Amino acid sequence: MNTKFIDLRSDTITVPGQGMLEYMFNAKVGDDVWEEDETVKELEFELAKLFSKEAGLFCPSGTMANQIAIRVHTKMGDEVICDELSHIYNYEGGGLASNSGVSPKLIKGNFGRISVDQITDSINPDDPHFSRTSLVCLENTVNKGGGVCYEYKDMQSISEFCINKRLKLHLDGARVFNALVSRSDSSYDYGKLFDSLSICMSKGLGAPIGSILLGDINFIHEAKRIRKSFGGGMRQVGYLAAAAQYALKYNIERLSEDHRRAKEISDCLANLNFVQNMRPVETNIVLFDINKNINDFNQFLMKNSIKASFMGVNTVRFVTHLNFTDSDLEKLLIVLRALN
Ligand SMILES: *Cc1c(COP(=O)(O)O)cnc(C)c1O
């Protein structure tokens, strides 16, 4: 028998449903390297407007969008301030060094959220012994921090500080819509805080491929050059942009359901004695440690047709998404309780 797995490894594993596929199928496309793809242009414009930015650039992945932003904002030898949990440092293949020739200044923040005081302490003096500090990167929500969000006012303080210190500020907003929905914040206000933002369409929003990079016209002009040199200029990519348009239209508000289900998972786990160090659950990620052997735990889950992802020796991650239903949730909770 072919059992259906409940796959909670990531919100990237979703596949397009009928509605999204039809949207894609009917997209008007052209050669986007020649700037002739109307659907891509529409999407870039739509997202730029949503985040009060001048322009947008469709990219094949969130990693590329971040790496392009870092390259545009820095010079070789510079230092980039970010949290030690950040995706740009941990999960982008060392691209800071290999793509831009810059190094990270790592901060130990609050589940991946950094503060003005910490940034202040991390800026290098203008002295040839030190690398030049030119960029600060925030991540919201913080993946490796368990999906926690920044308070708007904290990001606002960081933004004002960076303007004052002439530091560029980039947001890795792979899951920024989860943050916006969780905090009921406005995308328009968010956009004003940053020089650039990267946003994934292929995480909780459920599009198959694609991220968008936002910034002012000069920034996007430069970003387009770098995207080409990274091999990210794509041709009739409107099919993917259409999927993103569909996701923006239908899959934002429903993120609150993912958040509710994640909260129910964490409420259940909090009562189980093999669970430790539960990270605060604010969005669609549930991150916790276990005092059992992690391979045994994984085997137990797999036997019950559940997939989780594992980060480190005893850390488990569940990520809820649009292919995870209430009946899946019910089954998961029964399986977890059985293990107690
Ligand atoms: C997934 C993710 C990215 C990168 O996205 P890819 O499309 O997988 O390259 C960047 N930042 C964060 C926080 C992410 O979770």
Side-chain angles (χ1 to χ4, degrees):
M1 205 180 68
N2 207 352
T3 32
K4 178 185 164 276
F5 271 85
I6 297 174
D7 195 341
L8 293 167
R9 287 172 301 167
S10 175
D11 48 6
T12 56
I13 58 96
T14 58
V15 291
Q18 200 55 37
M20 184 179 277
L21 286 171
E22 271 165 31
Y23 227 75
M24 295 169 73
F25 196 69
N26 291 311
K28 263 181 54 193
V29 299
D31 188 328
D32 186 51
V33 174
W34 289 8
E35 304 187 349
E36 288 177 3
D37 191 302
E38 292 306 319
T39 311
V40 171
K41 281 195 227 174
E42 253 178 51
L43 175 73
E44 290 170 345
F45 181 72
E46 187 183 342
L47 273 157
K49 218 172 52 178
L50 203 56
F51 284 86
S52 59
K53 285 300 195 226
E54 287 175 357
L57 189 68
F58 191 69
C59 299
S61 70
T63 299
M64 191 187 287
N66 283 334
Q67 291 297 320
I68 291 171
I70 291 161
R71 175 73 162 265
V72 174
H73 288 314
T74 59
K75 287 203 181 77
M76 195 192 276
D78 285 0
E79 207 161 70
V80 175
I81 295 175
C82 60
D83 190 276
E84 63 179 11
L85 299 180
S86 62
H87 195 280
I88 59 160
Y89 169 65
N90 287 286
Y91 298 126
E92 301 192 1
L96 281 176
S98 59
N99 292 322
S100 299
V102 298
S103 48
K105 176 81 136 209
L106 299 178
I107 292 179
K108 200 181 187 61
N110 175 19
F111 297 105
R113 292 162 299 194
I114 61 180
S115 67
V116 168
D117 287 346
Q118 290 177 312
I119 298 170
T120 308
D121 290 343
S122 305
I123 299 173
N124 288 331
D126 184 8
D127 169 329
H129 286 90
F130 300 100
S131 56
R132 190 191 294 108
T133 306
S134 54
L135 173 65
V136 175
C137 285
L138 307 185
E139 186 173 314
N140 200 22
T141 69
V142 187
N143 183 351
K144 211 172 159 58
V148 296
C149 320
Y150 275 89
E151 294 286 348
Y152 179 78
K153 64 174 173 36
D154 293 340
M155 292 192 299
Q156 201 173 24
S157 312
I158 293 172
S159 175
E160 281 163 15
F161 176 82
C162 288
I163 291 169
N164 239 313
K165 296 284 180 190
R166 295 173 186 277
L167 297 172
K168 295 292 183 193
L169 183 61
H170 171 71
L171 179 70
D172 177 353
R175 295 190 179 82
V176 71
F177 282 107
N178 294 85
L180 289 167
V181 166
S182 170
R183 289 275 200 257
S184 305
D185 284 332
S186 127
S187 59
Y188 196 78
D189 292 343
Y190 253 57
K192 288 186 181 149
L193 304 179
F194 300 95
D195 295 291
S196 58
L197 303 88
S198 69
I199 303 168
C200 281
M201 299 293 126
S202 57
K203 298 268 165 92
L205 291 184
I209 300 171
S211 279
I212 197 100
L213 184 58
L214 303 174
D216 66 22
I217 285 172
N218 287 334
F219 171 82
I220 293 297
H221 182 78
E222 284 308 302
K224 198 171 275 188
R225 282 192 158 276
I226 305 298
R227 184 184 68 175
K228 191 79 183 85
S229 75
F230 284 179
M234 298 183 285
R235 304 296 177 173
Q236 285 71 20
V237 71
Y239 295 115
L240 299 179
Q245 283 181 320
Y246 181 91
L248 289 174
K249 201 164 167 184
Y250 297 108
N251 292 345
I252 293 179
E253 275 172 38
R254 61 153 308 286
L255 290 172
S256 60
E257 293 176 37
D258 295 344
H259 300 172
R260 170 182 57 80
R261 292 184 187 113
K263 192 78 181 65
E264 285 187 37
I265 296 171
S266 83
D267 287 348
C268 167
L269 287 167
N271 292 316
L272 305 181
N273 51 35
F274 66 89
V275 174
Q276 301 173 328
N277 190 18
M278 170 69 72
R279 317 300 196 273
V281 174
E282 298 183 358
T283 54
N284 68 329
I285 299 177
V286 184
L287 195 65
F288 57 99
D289 297 342
I290 57 172
N291 61 16
K292 286 181 183 305
N293 180 292
I294 203 137
N295 292 321
D296 295 347
F297 182 68
N298 188 29
Q299 269 178 19
F300 174 79
L301 291 182
M302 291 294 276
K303 250 191 354 221
N304 287 283
S305 307
I306 293 163
K307 292 183 184 178
S309 61
F310 301 93
M311 306 171 100
V313 283
N314 62 345
T315 305
V316 184
R317 190 184 76 160
F318 291 129
V319 187
T320 60
H321 51 71
L322 56 76
N323 292 157
F324 177 68
T325 63
D326 277 328
S327 86
D328 293 336
L329 173 66
E330 233 173 275
K331 276 183 226 161
L332 172 72
L333 297 187
I334 289 168
V335 169
L336 290 173
R337 287 195 193 106
L339 197 59
N340 209 32

